[in-house]
Amino acid sequence: MPGKTTLSTSSLLRRRLLLAGGAGLTGLGGLLALPGCKGAATPKPDAGRLRLLAEARWPHRLHIEGTTAGGLSGIDYDPVRGEYLLISDDRSDLAPLRYYTARWPSPQVAPPEPVGVVQLQRPGGGPWPNRRNAVDGLPVPDPEALRLRPATNTLLWTSEGDVARGFGPALYESARDGRFLREFRMPAMFQPDPAGRRGPRDNLTFEGVSLTPDGRFAWLGMENALIQDGPEPTIGAPGGPCRFTRIDLETGQADRQIAYVPDAIPLRPLIPGSYADNGVSEILMLDADRMLVLERAYATGRGNSLRLYEIDTRAASDVLAVDALAPGNHRPAAKTLVADFAALGLSRLDNTEGMCWGPPMPGGGRMLVVVSDDNFNPLQITQFAAFEYADRP
C-alpha cells in the first residue's frame, strides 16, 4: 500500500485522546511548553545508573506478515533464540491478538529487525474476538505485558481486562506458538463492581509483569489504585496505592501483595484542565526481592515524563488480606529514583510501556531495553532504547 512499509516475514488510544485534539497537542509538546509552568517537585536520581547505548524506531504502521505493528506494550528477551518478544495492545481491532519477534544484535549499528508474528489463541483455540464481535462469557483482552518462562518455554501475558463487560484484569499463560494454556485465578478484589464503588478502574490495571530469577513467582503491577484504595494521581497529589501481587506459578495462586504509591502528575497540561495522568507502566525484577518500577506520565501539550524507581518488596507489608488500603493499615514500598529519562539523552520521550533485560554486555554488565507504545497514532512513535544498567554500589 502506498506510504506504508511492508516486511515479508483501534483501538482506543491508550492515552484516551482524540487524534485531532489532544494527540495533536502532544506532537507540539516541546514547542508549546509555557515558561514557568511547573509540575511536581523532581526527586534527585542516583547518579549514573543508566547510560544510553542506542535508540531506534520502527516506521508508523509497519506491516509484518500482513499485520499492522504498533501498540507495543510489553517486551522480553529470549537468550536461547537471541530474539525479543513484543506484545501489541491492539484488542484484535486491526489484526487478531498477537505478539511479534525481533532481533537486535547490534543496537548501536541498526534498528531491531522484525522476524515474525504469532497469534495468541483463545481458550479452545481460534483467535480472540474484537469488541465489535464480542462473545458472551468471553472477555476481549487488552494485552499490556509479557514475560518468557525459560523453564517451560511458555509466555505469561497480562490483560487489563474488559471491565465494562464485567471481566477483571487477568494473567494468562500461552505456548510459544500461541496456544492457550491457562488463566490464573485472581483475588476477588480485582473483580469489577457493577455499581462502580470498588474494584479495578477501566484501563488502569495489570500494566506490568515480571518474573523472579528462579522462575517460581510472577509479580503483577497495577497502573493505578483500585477504587476502594484511593484516587488516581493529580498534579498536586500522588495517587492511591497500587497493588503489586505475587503469583506462585506452581500453585497458580496469589501468595503476597504489596502497595506502591505513584507520584503526583509531574507535568502541567498546556491548557489548564485538559488531560494529564501518571501511573505504573512496567515492572522488572532486579533480583529475588528488588524491583524496578517505571512510572509513565502524560500531559496534553507537554508530552511524556518517564521515571524509573527501585523498590525492595521485603520492606513493604503484605496487603493481600486488606480489603481497602488506608493510611495506618499498611506500609507501602519505599522507592528510590534510579533515573529520570529526560536526562538520558533520548531524542524524544514517548509512551514507554515495555522494559526487559537484554543480552549480557561485554564484561558482564546488564543491558536494559525499553519500547514505547505508539497507540497506532501517527503523532507518536515506536521507540526502542538500550541502556547500560549499573546497580547500586
Side-chain angles (χ1 to χ4, degrees):
M1 296 179 64
K4 294 187 178 180
T5 304
T6 304
L7 296 183
S8 60
T9 25
S10 201
S11 142
L12 177 67
L13 292 182
R14 181 62 186 83
R15 295 296 83 204
R16 301 178 287 253
L17 296 171
L18 294 176
L19 197 62
L25 289 174
T26 305
L28 302 176
L31 298 175
L32 296 179
L34 293 176
C37 185
K38 297 180 180 179
T42 303
K44 185 178 180 181
D46 283 4
R49 296 283 298 275
L50 285 184
R51 181 175 68 88
L52 181 63
L53 299 173
E55 177 185 351
R57 299 183 186 184
W58 275 359
H60 178 62
R61 287 184 172 260
L62 176 69
H63 279 200
I64 303 174
E65 295 186 358
T67 70
T68 301
L72 302 182
S73 295
I75 185 172
D76 208 5
Y77 179 70
D78 180 352
V80 175
R81 300 189 187 186
E83 63 186 24
Y84 290 90
L85 313 175
L86 300 139
I87 197 165
S88 172
D89 70 0
D90 174 21
R91 301 184 70 176
S92 297
D93 291 326
L94 299 176
L97 208 70
R98 62 204 179 275
Y99 75 90
Y100 295 94
T101 55
R103 297 185 184 277
W104 201 16
S106 304
Q108 295 94 334
V109 176
E113 178 185 358
V115 174
V117 59
V118 178
Q119 185 181 113
L120 292 166
Q121 303 289 303
R122 62 192 276 186
W128 289 89
N130 58 30
R131 286 167 287 184
R132 294 183 304 274
N133 301 292
V135 176
D136 289 345
L138 189 68
V140 176
D142 180 7
E144 289 295 343
L146 89 167
R147 295 294 171 200
L148 173 68
R149 291 187 68 189
T152 57
N153 196 34
T154 57
L155 297 178
L156 298 173
W157 56 280
T158 69
S159 167
E160 291 204 275
D162 192 352
V163 173
R165 297 179 58 236
F167 298 95
L171 175 65
Y172 300 111
E173 187 166 14
S174 296
R176 285 290 289 268
D177 63 6
R179 285 177 295 113
F180 184 89
L181 298 177
R182 62 171 166 165
E183 177 181 355
F184 293 82
R185 184 176 180 180
M186 290 296 114
M189 65 185 68
F190 294 118
Q191 291 304 308
D193 175 15
R197 291 189 293 264
R198 59 184 299 109
R201 291 178 166 93
D202 186 43
N203 210 30
L204 293 174
T205 63
F206 292 164
E207 192 75 19
V209 64
S210 188
L211 286 173
T212 54
D214 63 5
R216 178 175 176 181
F217 299 101
W219 280 94
L220 300 170
M222 291 278 290
E223 182 173 358
N224 272 182
L226 295 172
I227 294 170
Q228 68 268 27
D229 292 337
E232 299 174 50
T234 64
I235 292 171
C242 303
R243 295 182 188 245
F244 290 179
T245 306
R246 192 175 73 174
I247 305 296
D248 185 326
L249 297 176
E250 292 183 3
T251 66
Q253 302 294 317
D255 77 332
R256 189 161 186 261
Q257 190 179 75
I258 63 172
Y260 174 91
V261 180
D263 292 345
I265 298 171
L267 300 171
R268 291 183 180 273
L270 178 65
I271 301 172
S274 56
Y275 186 82
D277 71 356
N278 182 53
V280 173
S281 68
E282 185 59 286
I283 59 175
L284 183 64
M285 297 306 296
L286 274 164
D287 54 35
D289 302 297
R290 294 181 303 144
M291 178 191 293
L292 294 178
V293 181
L294 182 62
E295 293 191 28
R296 177 272 328 278
Y298 173 83
T300 303
R302 301 293 305 281
N304 290 96
S305 167
L306 300 167
R307 292 175 176 177
L308 186 65
Y309 288 95
E310 178 186 325
I311 66 170
D312 191 322
T313 60
R314 296 168 297 185
S317 58
D318 188 349
V319 298
L320 189 58
V322 180
D323 180 65
L325 302 180
N329 71 359
H330 71 287
R331 184 177 66 256
K335 60 187 188 181
T336 300
L337 183 63
V338 172
D340 185 333
F341 277 50
L344 297 180
L346 291 165
S347 64
R348 173 177 170 180
L349 299 187
D350 210 284
N351 183 33
T352 298
E353 294 194 353
M355 179 171 65
C356 73
W357 297 116
M361 297 183 61
R366 300 177 94 171
M367 180 187 296
L368 185 74
V369 178
V370 300
V371 66
S372 67
D373 169 3
D374 70 349
N375 292 315
F376 300 96
N377 180 345
L379 297 177
Q380 294 182 253
I381 57 174
T382 297
Q383 177 191 56
F384 297 84
F387 301 91
E388 181 179 9
Y389 174 83
D391 207 345
R392 289 186 185 185

